[in-house]
């Protein structure tokens, strides 16, 4: 089973970016933990990070056809990128939306996601563990469908 792990803008700064909100783990630390959990579950993890919307869309278009599912923390694009939403609709692969922080307890503009209604689920507020929770659930759901 192959799972794409996509992180959007500013998530490359994890570890130093607002640690009181996002914690002290770096993106490399998180990717490694997800990779290890994937290994336990029999899932290959394909990680990708970009700050640019077009790069994320290109990655989805190129890699989703060969993948079983997707985990994405789209960062601020979550709240307004209809182009990323369209890319998910076009490839038709199940994805889980992940947020490190509880977006619903923050500024109003973070409460709305343009991805959530076409996602399998949204995970928010569990810190880095949200990626693991999302992976566990997505792999479980995909195995049940097989
Ligand atoms: C985030 C929440 C977004 O609102 C924000 O723009 C991010 C990170 C999170 O992981 O909590 O960049 O997706």
């Amino acid at each position: 089973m192959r799972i794409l792990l996509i992180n959007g803008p500013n998530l490359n700064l994890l570890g130093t970016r607002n640690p009181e909100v996002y914690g002290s783990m770096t993106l490399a630390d998180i990717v490694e933990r997800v990779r290890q959990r994937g290994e336990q579950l029999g899932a290959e993890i394909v990680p990708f990070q970009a700050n640019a919307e077009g790069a994320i869309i290109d990655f989805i278009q190129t890699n989703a056809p060969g993948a079983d599912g997707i985990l994405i923390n789209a960062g601020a694009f979550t709240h307004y990128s209809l182009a990323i939403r369209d890319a998910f609709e076009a490839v038709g692969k199940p994805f889980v939306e992940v947020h490190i922080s509880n977006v619903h307890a923050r500024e109003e503009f973070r409460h709305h996601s343009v991805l959530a209604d076409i996602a399998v689920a949204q995970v928010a507020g569990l810190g880095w563990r949200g990626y693991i929770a999302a992976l566990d659930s997505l792999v479980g759901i995909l195995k049940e469908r097989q």
Side-chain angles (χ1 to χ4, degrees), residues 9-11 17 22 73-79 98-103 106 109-110 131:
N10 299 306
L11 293 164
R17 174 192 182 195
Y22 298 115
N73 183 345
F77 288 144
T78 305
H79 312 301
V98 179
H99 300 287
I100 294 168
S101 65
N102 181 356
V103 284
R106 299 182 63 196
F109 69 87
R110 298 188 202 276
Y131 289 92

mmCIF file with all atom_site columns, all heavy atoms in Angstrom, residues 9-11 17 22 73-79 98-103 106 109-110 131, ligand 1:
data_model
loop_
_atom_site.group_PDB
_atom_site.id
_atom_site.type_symbol
_atom_site.label_atom_id
_atom_site.label_alt_id
_atom_site.label_comp_id
_atom_site.label_asym_id
_atom_site.label_entity_id
_atom_site.label_seq_id
_atom_site.pdbx_PDB_ins_code
_atom_site.Cartn_x
_atom_site.Cartn_y
_atom_site.Cartn_z
_atom_site.occupancy
_atom_site.B_iso_or_equiv
_atom_site.pdbx_formal_charge
_atom_site.auth_seq_id
_atom_site.auth_comp_id
_atom_site.auth_asym_id
_atom_site.auth_atom_id
_atom_site.pdbx_PDB_model_num
ATOM   1   N N   . PRO A 1 9   ? 2.492   25.017 2.659  1.00 0.00 ? 9   PRO A N   1
ATOM   2   C CA  . PRO A 1 9   ? 3.346   26.167 2.952  1.00 0.00 ? 9   PRO A CA  1
ATOM   3   C C   . PRO A 1 9   ? 3.644   26.359 4.428  1.00 0.00 ? 9   PRO A C   1
ATOM   4   O O   . PRO A 1 9   ? 2.773   26.182 5.286  1.00 0.00 ? 9   PRO A O   1
ATOM   5   C CB  . PRO A 1 9   ? 2.541   27.355 2.406  1.00 0.00 ? 9   PRO A CB  1
ATOM   6   C CG  . PRO A 1 9   ? 1.141   26.865 2.280  1.00 0.00 ? 9   PRO A CG  1
ATOM   7   C CD  . PRO A 1 9   ? 1.236   25.398 1.990  1.00 0.00 ? 9   PRO A CD  1
ATOM   8   N N   . ASN A 1 10  ? 4.894   26.718 4.667  1.00 0.00 ? 10  ASN A N   1
ATOM   9   C CA  . ASN A 1 10  ? 5.430   27.062 5.997  1.00 0.00 ? 10  ASN A CA  1
ATOM   10  C C   . ASN A 1 10  ? 5.615   25.868 6.925  1.00 0.00 ? 10  ASN A C   1
ATOM   11  O O   . ASN A 1 10  ? 6.167   26.013 8.011  1.00 0.00 ? 10  ASN A O   1
ATOM   12  C CB  . ASN A 1 10  ? 4.578   28.142 6.676  1.00 0.00 ? 10  ASN A CB  1
ATOM   13  C CG  . ASN A 1 10  ? 4.548   29.421 5.870  1.00 0.00 ? 10  ASN A CG  1
ATOM   14  O OD1 . ASN A 1 10  ? 5.597   29.954 5.538  1.00 0.00 ? 10  ASN A OD1 1
ATOM   15  N ND2 . ASN A 1 10  ? 3.371   29.886 5.501  1.00 0.00 ? 10  ASN A ND2 1
ATOM   16  N N   . LEU A 1 11  ? 5.192   24.695 6.492  1.00 0.00 ? 11  LEU A N   1
ATOM   17  C CA  . LEU A 1 11  ? 5.369   23.525 7.354  1.00 0.00 ? 11  LEU A CA  1
ATOM   18  C C   . LEU A 1 11  ? 6.819   23.045 7.333  1.00 0.00 ? 11  LEU A C   1
ATOM   19  O O   . LEU A 1 11  ? 7.236   22.293 8.212  1.00 0.00 ? 11  LEU A O   1
ATOM   20  C CB  . LEU A 1 11  ? 4.365   22.436 6.977  1.00 0.00 ? 11  LEU A CB  1
ATOM   21  C CG  . LEU A 1 11  ? 2.931   22.893 7.295  1.00 0.00 ? 11  LEU A CG  1
ATOM   22  C CD1 . LEU A 1 11  ? 1.896   22.045 6.592  1.00 0.00 ? 11  LEU A CD1 1
ATOM   23  C CD2 . LEU A 1 11  ? 2.688   22.899 8.802  1.00 0.00 ? 11  LEU A CD2 1
ATOM   24  N N   . ARG A 1 17  ? 8.799   27.392 14.013 1.00 0.00 ? 17  ARG A N   1
ATOM   25  C CA  . ARG A 1 17  ? 7.624   28.241 13.755 1.00 0.00 ? 17  ARG A CA  1
ATOM   26  C C   . ARG A 1 17  ? 6.619   28.120 14.905 1.00 0.00 ? 17  ARG A C   1
ATOM   27  O O   . ARG A 1 17  ? 6.095   27.021 15.160 1.00 0.00 ? 17  ARG A O   1
ATOM   28  C CB  . ARG A 1 17  ? 6.959   27.773 12.453 1.00 0.00 ? 17  ARG A CB  1
ATOM   29  C CG  . ARG A 1 17  ? 5.666   28.464 12.137 1.00 0.00 ? 17  ARG A CG  1
ATOM   30  C CD  . ARG A 1 17  ? 4.921   27.757 11.000 1.00 0.00 ? 17  ARG A CD  1
ATOM   31  N NE  . ARG A 1 17  ? 3.701   28.467 10.673 1.00 0.00 ? 17  ARG A NE  1
ATOM   32  C CZ  . ARG A 1 17  ? 2.719   27.952 9.955  1.00 0.00 ? 17  ARG A CZ  1
ATOM   33  N NH1 . ARG A 1 17  ? 2.807   26.723 9.474  1.00 0.00 ? 17  ARG A NH1 1
ATOM   34  N NH2 . ARG A 1 17  ? 1.642   28.660 9.701  1.00 0.00 ? 17  ARG A NH2 1
ATOM   35  N N   . TYR A 1 22  ? 2.550   24.917 17.281 1.00 0.00 ? 22  TYR A N   1
ATOM   36  C CA  . TYR A 1 22  ? 2.834   23.762 16.424 1.00 0.00 ? 22  TYR A CA  1
ATOM   37  C C   . TYR A 1 22  ? 3.806   22.744 17.030 1.00 0.00 ? 22  TYR A C   1
ATOM   38  O O   . TYR A 1 22  ? 4.088   21.725 16.404 1.00 0.00 ? 22  TYR A O   1
ATOM   39  C CB  . TYR A 1 22  ? 3.384   24.251 15.073 1.00 0.00 ? 22  TYR A CB  1
ATOM   40  C CG  . TYR A 1 22  ? 2.378   25.105 14.312 1.00 0.00 ? 22  TYR A CG  1
ATOM   41  C CD1 . TYR A 1 22  ? 2.622   26.453 14.049 1.00 0.00 ? 22  TYR A CD1 1
ATOM   42  C CD2 . TYR A 1 22  ? 1.174   24.557 13.862 1.00 0.00 ? 22  TYR A CD2 1
ATOM   43  C CE1 . TYR A 1 22  ? 1.695   27.240 13.367 1.00 0.00 ? 22  TYR A CE1 1
ATOM   44  C CE2 . TYR A 1 22  ? 0.247   25.332 13.179 1.00 0.00 ? 22  TYR A CE2 1
ATOM   45  C CZ  . TYR A 1 22  ? 0.515   26.672 12.940 1.00 0.00 ? 22  TYR A CZ  1
ATOM   46  O OH  . TYR A 1 22  ? -0.407  27.438 12.257 1.00 0.00 ? 22  TYR A OH  1
ATOM   47  N N   . ASN A 1 73  ? -1.545  17.994 5.014  1.00 0.00 ? 73  ASN A N   1
ATOM   48  C CA  . ASN A 1 73  ? -1.686  19.226 5.791  1.00 0.00 ? 73  ASN A CA  1
ATOM   49  C C   . ASN A 1 73  ? -1.400  20.332 4.787  1.00 0.00 ? 73  ASN A C   1
ATOM   50  O O   . ASN A 1 73  ? -0.245  20.598 4.447  1.00 0.00 ? 73  ASN A O   1
ATOM   51  C CB  . ASN A 1 73  ? -0.700  19.271 6.959  1.00 0.00 ? 73  ASN A CB  1
ATOM   52  C CG  . ASN A 1 73  ? -0.906  20.515 7.813  1.00 0.00 ? 73  ASN A CG  1
ATOM   53  O OD1 . ASN A 1 73  ? -1.570  21.462 7.400  1.00 0.00 ? 73  ASN A OD1 1
ATOM   54  N ND2 . ASN A 1 73  ? -0.310  20.513 8.999  1.00 0.00 ? 73  ASN A ND2 1
ATOM   55  N N   . ALA A 1 74  ? -2.454  20.939 4.281  1.00 0.00 ? 74  ALA A N   1
ATOM   56  C CA  . ALA A 1 74  ? -2.304  21.937 3.224  1.00 0.00 ? 74  ALA A CA  1
ATOM   57  C C   . ALA A 1 74  ? -1.976  23.322 3.788  1.00 0.00 ? 74  ALA A C   1
ATOM   58  O O   . ALA A 1 74  ? -1.932  24.298 3.021  1.00 0.00 ? 74  ALA A O   1
ATOM   59  C CB  . ALA A 1 74  ? -3.563  21.982 2.372  1.00 0.00 ? 74  ALA A CB  1
ATOM   60  N N   . GLY A 1 75  ? -1.757  23.422 5.113  1.00 0.00 ? 75  GLY A N   1
ATOM   61  C CA  . GLY A 1 75  ? -1.449  24.724 5.706  1.00 0.00 ? 75  GLY A CA  1
ATOM   62  C C   . GLY A 1 75  ? -2.544  25.717 5.369  1.00 0.00 ? 75  GLY A C   1
ATOM   63  O O   . GLY A 1 75  ? -3.732  25.372 5.307  1.00 0.00 ? 75  GLY A O   1
ATOM   64  N N   . ALA A 1 76  ? -2.154  26.949 5.105  1.00 0.00 ? 76  ALA A N   1
ATOM   65  C CA  . ALA A 1 76  ? -3.149  27.996 4.839  1.00 0.00 ? 76  ALA A CA  1
ATOM   66  C C   . ALA A 1 76  ? -3.944  27.734 3.554  1.00 0.00 ? 76  ALA A C   1
ATOM   67  O O   . ALA A 1 76  ? -5.075  28.227 3.422  1.00 0.00 ? 76  ALA A O   1
ATOM   68  C CB  . ALA A 1 76  ? -2.463  29.358 4.771  1.00 0.00 ? 76  ALA A CB  1
ATOM   69  N N   . PHE A 1 77  ? -3.400  26.946 2.623  1.00 0.00 ? 77  PHE A N   1
ATOM   70  C CA  . PHE A 1 77  ? -4.159  26.629 1.398  1.00 0.00 ? 77  PHE A CA  1
ATOM   71  C C   . PHE A 1 77  ? -5.480  25.927 1.725  1.00 0.00 ? 77  PHE A C   1
ATOM   72  O O   . PHE A 1 77  ? -6.433  25.985 0.944  1.00 0.00 ? 77  PHE A O   1
ATOM   73  C CB  . PHE A 1 77  ? -3.346  25.748 0.448  1.00 0.00 ? 77  PHE A CB  1
ATOM   74  C CG  . PHE A 1 77  ? -2.216  26.457 -0.244 1.00 0.00 ? 77  PHE A CG  1
ATOM   75  C CD1 . PHE A 1 77  ? -1.020  25.789 -0.496 1.00 0.00 ? 77  PHE A CD1 1
ATOM   76  C CD2 . PHE A 1 77  ? -2.338  27.768 -0.666 1.00 0.00 ? 77  PHE A CD2 1
ATOM   77  C CE1 . PHE A 1 77  ? 0.035   26.429 -1.141 1.00 0.00 ? 77  PHE A CE1 1
ATOM   78  C CE2 . PHE A 1 77  ? -1.292  28.416 -1.311 1.00 0.00 ? 77  PHE A CE2 1
ATOM   79  C CZ  . PHE A 1 77  ? -0.102  27.742 -1.550 1.00 0.00 ? 77  PHE A CZ  1
ATOM   80  N N   . THR A 1 78  ? -5.496  25.237 2.877  1.00 0.00 ? 78  THR A N   1
ATOM   81  C CA  . THR A 1 78  ? -6.720  24.567 3.333  1.00 0.00 ? 78  THR A CA  1
ATOM   82  C C   . THR A 1 78  ? -7.927  25.493 3.261  1.00 0.00 ? 78  THR A C   1
ATOM   83  O O   . THR A 1 78  ? -9.038  25.065 2.951  1.00 0.00 ? 78  THR A O   1
ATOM   84  C CB  . THR A 1 78  ? -6.563  24.177 4.832  1.00 0.00 ? 78  THR A CB  1
ATOM   85  O OG1 . THR A 1 78  ? -5.387  23.404 4.975  1.00 0.00 ? 78  THR A OG1 1
ATOM   86  C CG2 . THR A 1 78  ? -7.777  23.455 5.359  1.00 0.00 ? 78  THR A CG2 1
ATOM   87  N N   . HIS A 1 79  ? -7.681  26.753 3.584  1.00 0.00 ? 79  HIS A N   1
ATOM   88  C CA  . HIS A 1 79  ? -8.789  27.676 3.801  1.00 0.00 ? 79  HIS A CA  1
ATOM   89  C C   . HIS A 1 79  ? -9.282  28.350 2.522  1.00 0.00 ? 79  HIS A C   1
ATOM   90  O O   . HIS A 1 79  ? -10.332 28.975 2.545  1.00 0.00 ? 79  HIS A O   1
ATOM   91  C CB  . HIS A 1 79  ? -8.379  28.726 4.842  1.00 0.00 ? 79  HIS A CB  1
ATOM   92  C CG  . HIS A 1 79  ? -7.756  28.107 6.071  1.00 0.00 ? 79  HIS A CG  1
ATOM   93  N ND1 . HIS A 1 79  ? -8.421  27.191 6.855  1.00 0.00 ? 79  HIS A ND1 1
ATOM   94  C CD2 . HIS A 1 79  ? -6.510  28.227 6.619  1.00 0.00 ? 79  HIS A CD2 1
ATOM   95  C CE1 . HIS A 1 79  ? -7.626  26.801 7.845  1.00 0.00 ? 79  HIS A CE1 1
ATOM   96  N NE2 . HIS A 1 79  ? -6.455  27.403 7.724  1.00 0.00 ? 79  HIS A NE2 1
ATOM   97  N N   . VAL A 1 98  ? -5.123  16.875 7.632  1.00 0.00 ? 98  VAL A N   1
ATOM   98  C CA  . VAL A 1 98  ? -4.504  16.919 8.962  1.00 0.00 ? 98  VAL A CA  1
ATOM   99  C C   . VAL A 1 98  ? -4.123  18.356 9.305  1.00 0.00 ? 98  VAL A C   1
ATOM   100 O O   . VAL A 1 98  ? -3.598  19.082 8.454  1.00 0.00 ? 98  VAL A O   1
ATOM   101 C CB  . VAL A 1 98  ? -3.234  16.034 9.007  1.00 0.00 ? 98  VAL A CB  1
ATOM   102 C CG1 . VAL A 1 98  ? -2.577  16.100 10.391 1.00 0.00 ? 98  VAL A CG1 1
ATOM   103 C CG2 . VAL A 1 98  ? -3.544  14.590 8.641  1.00 0.00 ? 98  VAL A CG2 1
ATOM   104 N N   . HIS A 1 99  ? -4.397  18.735 10.556 1.00 0.00 ? 99  HIS A N   1
ATOM   105 C CA  . HIS A 1 99  ? -3.866  19.990 11.100 1.00 0.00 ? 99  HIS A CA  1
ATOM   106 C C   . HIS A 1 99  ? -3.249  19.715 12.450 1.00 0.00 ? 99  HIS A C   1
ATOM   107 O O   . HIS A 1 99  ? -3.849  18.999 13.270 1.00 0.00 ? 99  HIS A O   1
ATOM   108 C CB  . HIS A 1 99  ? -4.964  21.049 11.236 1.00 0.00 ? 99  HIS A CB  1
ATOM   109 C CG  . HIS A 1 99  ? -5.602  21.363 9.930  1.00 0.00 ? 99  HIS A CG  1
ATOM   110 N ND1 . HIS A 1 99  ? -4.962  22.086 8.958  1.00 0.00 ? 99  HIS A ND1 1
ATOM   111 C CD2 . HIS A 1 99  ? -6.790  20.981 9.412  1.00 0.00 ? 99  HIS A CD2 1
ATOM   112 C CE1 . HIS A 1 99  ? -5.743  22.169 7.899  1.00 0.00 ? 99  HIS A CE1 1
ATOM   113 N NE2 . HIS A 1 99  ? -6.855  21.500 8.141  1.00 0.00 ? 99  HIS A NE2 1
ATOM   114 N N   . ILE A 1 100 ? -2.087  20.275 12.665 1.00 0.00 ? 100 ILE A N   1
ATOM   115 C CA  . ILE A 1 100 ? -1.403  20.096 13.942 1.00 0.00 ? 100 ILE A CA  1
ATOM   116 C C   . ILE A 1 100 ? -2.183  20.807 15.046 1.00 0.00 ? 100 ILE A C   1
ATOM   117 O O   . ILE A 1 100 ? -2.405  20.263 16.122 1.00 0.00 ? 100 ILE A O   1
ATOM   118 C CB  . ILE A 1 100 ? 0.035   20.650 13.830 1.00 0.00 ? 100 ILE A CB  1
ATOM   119 C CG1 . ILE A 1 100 ? 0.831   19.790 12.835 1.00 0.00 ? 100 ILE A CG1 1
ATOM   120 C CG2 . ILE A 1 100 ? 0.714   20.691 15.199 1.00 0.00 ? 100 ILE A CG2 1
ATOM   121 C CD1 . ILE A 1 100 ? 2.151   20.392 12.413 1.00 0.00 ? 100 ILE A CD1 1
ATOM   122 N N   . SER A 1 101 ? -2.604  22.029 14.776 1.00 0.00 ? 101 SER A N   1
ATOM   123 C CA  . SER A 1 101 ? -3.337  22.822 15.765 1.00 0.00 ? 101 SER A CA  1
ATOM   124 C C   . SER A 1 101 ? -4.837  22.585 15.625 1.00 0.00 ? 101 SER A C   1
ATOM   125 O O   . SER A 1 101 ? -5.306  22.059 14.610 1.00 0.00 ? 101 SER A O   1
ATOM   126 C CB  . SER A 1 101 ? -3.032  24.312 15.556 1.00 0.00 ? 101 SER A CB  1
ATOM   127 O OG  . SER A 1 101 ? -3.536  24.742 14.299 1.00 0.00 ? 101 SER A OG  1
ATOM   128 N N   . ASN A 1 102 ? -5.575  22.978 16.662 1.00 0.00 ? 102 ASN A N   1
ATOM   129 C CA  . ASN A 1 102 ? -7.033  22.913 16.581 1.00 0.00 ? 102 ASN A CA  1
ATOM   130 C C   . ASN A 1 102 ? -7.518  24.165 15.860 1.00 0.00 ? 102 ASN A C   1
ATOM   131 O O   . ASN A 1 102 ? -7.765  25.203 16.485 1.00 0.00 ? 102 ASN A O   1
ATOM   132 C CB  . ASN A 1 102 ? -7.650  22.810 17.978 1.00 0.00 ? 102 ASN A CB  1
ATOM   133 C CG  . ASN A 1 102 ? -9.167  22.727 17.903 1.00 0.00 ? 102 ASN A CG  1
ATOM   134 O OD1 . ASN A 1 102 ? -9.753  22.824 16.816 1.00 0.00 ? 102 ASN A OD1 1
ATOM   135 N ND2 . ASN A 1 102 ? -9.801  22.564 19.033 1.00 0.00 ? 102 ASN A ND2 1
ATOM   136 N N   . VAL A 1 103 ? -7.653  24.060 14.547 1.00 0.00 ? 103 VAL A N   1
ATOM   137 C CA  . VAL A 1 103 ? -8.011  25.228 13.733 1.00 0.00 ? 103 VAL A CA  1
ATOM   138 C C   . VAL A 1 103 ? -9.350  25.846 14.161 1.00 0.00 ? 103 VAL A C   1
ATOM   139 O O   . VAL A 1 103 ? -9.576  27.042 13.988 1.00 0.00 ? 103 VAL A O   1
ATOM   140 C CB  . VAL A 1 103 ? -8.050  24.875 12.222 1.00 0.00 ? 103 VAL A CB  1
ATOM   141 C CG1 . VAL A 1 103 ? -6.646  24.766 11.664 1.00 0.00 ? 103 VAL A CG1 1
ATOM   142 C CG2 . VAL A 1 103 ? -8.833  23.600 11.951 1.00 0.00 ? 103 VAL A CG2 1
ATOM   143 N N   . ARG A 1 106 ? -9.066  28.632 16.789 1.00 0.00 ? 106 ARG A N   1
ATOM   144 C CA  . ARG A 1 106 ? -8.180  29.744 16.427 1.00 0.00 ? 106 ARG A CA  1
ATOM   145 C C   . ARG A 1 106 ? -8.965  30.832 15.674 1.00 0.00 ? 106 ARG A C   1
ATOM   146 O O   . ARG A 1 106 ? -10.190 30.908 15.799 1.00 0.00 ? 106 ARG A O   1
ATOM   147 C CB  . ARG A 1 106 ? -6.991  29.196 15.630 1.00 0.00 ? 106 ARG A CB  1
ATOM   148 C CG  . ARG A 1 106 ? -6.167  28.185 16.448 1.00 0.00 ? 106 ARG A CG  1
ATOM   149 C CD  . ARG A 1 106 ? -4.979  27.676 15.680 1.00 0.00 ? 106 ARG A CD  1
ATOM   150 N NE  . ARG A 1 106 ? -4.038  28.758 15.359 1.00 0.00 ? 106 ARG A NE  1
ATOM   151 C CZ  . ARG A 1 106 ? -3.079  28.651 14.433 1.00 0.00 ? 106 ARG A CZ  1
ATOM   152 N NH1 . ARG A 1 106 ? -2.927  27.518 13.762 1.00 0.00 ? 106 ARG A NH1 1
ATOM   153 N NH2 . ARG A 1 106 ? -2.277  29.666 14.196 1.00 0.00 ? 106 ARG A NH2 1
ATOM   154 N N   . PHE A 1 109 ? -10.864 32.788 10.267 1.00 0.00 ? 109 PHE A N   1
ATOM   155 C CA  . PHE A 1 109 ? -10.544 32.376 8.895  1.00 0.00 ? 109 PHE A CA  1
ATOM   156 C C   . PHE A 1 109 ? -9.987  30.961 8.823  1.00 0.00 ? 109 PHE A C   1
ATOM   157 O O   . PHE A 1 109 ? -9.955  30.359 7.754  1.00 0.00 ? 109 PHE A O   1
ATOM   158 C CB  . PHE A 1 109 ? -9.576  33.382 8.229  1.00 0.00 ? 109 PHE A CB  1
ATOM   159 C CG  . PHE A 1 109 ? -8.178  33.390 8.806  1.00 0.00 ? 109 PHE A CG  1
ATOM   160 C CD1 . PHE A 1 109 ? -7.208  32.517 8.347  1.00 0.00 ? 109 PHE A CD1 1
ATOM   161 C CD2 . PHE A 1 109 ? -7.833  34.312 9.797  1.00 0.00 ? 109 PHE A CD2 1
ATOM   162 C CE1 . PHE A 1 109 ? -5.924  32.526 8.861  1.00 0.00 ? 109 PHE A CE1 1
ATOM   163 C CE2 . PHE A 1 109 ? -6.544  34.330 10.327 1.00 0.00 ? 109 PHE A CE2 1
ATOM   164 C CZ  . PHE A 1 109 ? -5.590  33.437 9.867  1.00 0.00 ? 109 PHE A CZ  1
ATOM   165 N N   . ARG A 1 110 ? -9.570  30.401 9.973  1.00 0.00 ? 110 ARG A N   1
ATOM   166 C CA  . ARG A 1 110 ? -9.062  29.013 9.965  1.00 0.00 ? 110 ARG A CA  1
ATOM   167 C C   . ARG A 1 110 ? -10.173 27.992 10.182 1.00 0.00 ? 110 ARG A C   1
ATOM   168 O O   . ARG A 1 110 ? -9.945  26.788 10.114 1.00 0.00 ? 110 ARG A O   1
ATOM   169 C CB  . ARG A 1 110 ? -7.990  28.820 11.046 1.00 0.00 ? 110 ARG A CB  1
ATOM   170 C CG  . ARG A 1 110 ? -6.764  29.677 10.850 1.00 0.00 ? 110 ARG A CG  1
ATOM   171 C CD  . ARG A 1 110 ? -5.669  29.308 11.840 1.00 0.00 ? 110 ARG A CD  1
ATOM   172 N NE  . ARG A 1 110 ? -4.738  30.410 11.998 1.00 0.00 ? 110 ARG A NE  1
ATOM   173 C CZ  . ARG A 1 110 ? -3.692  30.662 11.194 1.00 0.00 ? 110 ARG A CZ  1
ATOM   174 N NH1 . ARG A 1 110 ? -3.437  29.853 10.177 1.00 0.00 ? 110 ARG A NH1 1
ATOM   175 N NH2 . ARG A 1 110 ? -2.907  31.694 11.402 1.00 0.00 ? 110 ARG A NH2 1
ATOM   176 N N   . TYR A 1 131 ? -0.935  13.162 12.587 1.00 0.00 ? 131 TYR A N   1
ATOM   177 C CA  . TYR A 1 131 ? -0.502  12.473 11.357 1.00 0.00 ? 131 TYR A CA  1
ATOM   178 C C   . TYR A 1 131 ? -0.567  10.949 11.548 1.00 0.00 ? 131 TYR A C   1
ATOM   179 O O   . TYR A 1 131 ? -0.930  10.217 10.637 1.00 0.00 ? 131 TYR A O   1
ATOM   180 C CB  . TYR A 1 131 ? 0.925   12.862 10.994 1.00 0.00 ? 131 TYR A CB  1
ATOM   181 C CG  . TYR A 1 131 ? 1.121   14.276 10.492 1.00 0.00 ? 131 TYR A CG  1
ATOM   182 C CD1 . TYR A 1 131 ? 1.434   15.317 11.367 1.00 0.00 ? 131 TYR A CD1 1
ATOM   183 C CD2 . TYR A 1 131 ? 1.036   14.565 9.138  1.00 0.00 ? 131 TYR A CD2 1
ATOM   184 C CE1 . TYR A 1 131 ? 1.653   16.604 10.914 1.00 0.00 ? 131 TYR A CE1 1
ATOM   185 C CE2 . TYR A 1 131 ? 1.248   15.844 8.662  1.00 0.00 ? 131 TYR A CE2 1
ATOM   186 C CZ  . TYR A 1 131 ? 1.550   16.871 9.559  1.00 0.00 ? 131 TYR A CZ  1
ATOM   187 O OH  . TYR A 1 131 ? 1.761   18.140 9.099  1.00 0.00 ? 131 TYR A OH  1
HETATM 188 C C1  . LIG B 2 .   ? -2.216  24.289 10.014 1.00 0.00 ? 1   LIG B C1  1
HETATM 189 C C2  . LIG B 2 .   ? -3.329  25.307 10.328 1.00 0.00 ? 1   LIG B C2  1
HETATM 190 C C3  . LIG B 2 .   ? -3.446  26.347 9.225  1.00 0.00 ? 1   LIG B C3  1
HETATM 191 O O1  . LIG B 2 .   ? -4.469  27.281 9.536  1.00 0.00 ? 1   LIG B O1  1
HETATM 192 C C4  . LIG B 2 .   ? -2.138  27.100 9.088  1.00 0.00 ? 1   LIG B C4  1
HETATM 193 O O2  . LIG B 2 .   ? -2.214  28.026 8.024  1.00 0.00 ? 1   LIG B O2  1
HETATM 194 C C5  . LIG B 2 .   ? -0.962  26.191 8.930  1.00 0.00 ? 1   LIG B C5  1
HETATM 195 C C6  . LIG B 2 .   ? -0.896  24.993 9.754  1.00 0.00 ? 1   LIG B C6  1
HETATM 196 C C7  . LIG B 2 .   ? -2.003  23.281 11.155 1.00 0.00 ? 1   LIG B C7  1
HETATM 197 O O3  . LIG B 2 .   ? -1.313  22.297 10.914 1.00 0.00 ? 1   LIG B O3  1
HETATM 198 O O4  . LIG B 2 .   ? -2.482  23.498 12.276 1.00 0.00 ? 1   LIG B O4  1
HETATM 199 O O5  . LIG B 2 .   ? -0.022  26.487 8.191  1.00 0.00 ? 1   LIG B O5  1
HETATM 200 O O6  . LIG B 2 .   ? -2.607  23.550 8.860  1.00 0.00 ? 1   LIG B O6  1
#
